[in-house]
Amino acid sequence: SKIAKRDDLNDEALVINVTPEQVVLVGRTDQATTHAASLVLEQLGVRWLFPTEKGYSITKLGVFRHC
């Protein structure tokens, strides 16, 4: 990706672009891309209470709508 090739960005650089048609998550590194996904999920109500399979909570939203 273009973001991975830019020398002026640090390893934590990421892009989040949400439209009614798609969600695009791009990070300069795999860790940055994972962080982008976590940020979007947290905005949707996902919470990690304890770092195991049994330690997460997902709030029921009904229907997801892009605002």
Side-chain angles (χ1 to χ4, degrees), residues 17-57:
N17 186 14
V18 179
T19 69
E21 293 80 30
Q22 66 183 357
V23 175
V24 177
L25 307 173
V26 180
R28 181 171 170 118
T29 63
D30 288 345
Q31 183 176 359
T33 303
T34 299
H35 186 63
S38 296
L39 288 171
V40 171
L41 290 172
E42 286 177 3
Q43 290 177 357
L44 293 174
V46 176
R47 297 292 180 260
W48 289 265
L49 306 175
F50 189 71
T52 69
E53 288 184 18
K54 294 182 180 181
Y56 62 86
S57 172

Side-chain angles (χ1 to χ4, degrees), residues 44 58-65:
L44 293 174
I58 301 174
T59 304
K60 287 190 176 192
L61 294 175
V63 177
F64 171 72
R65 291 191 175 96

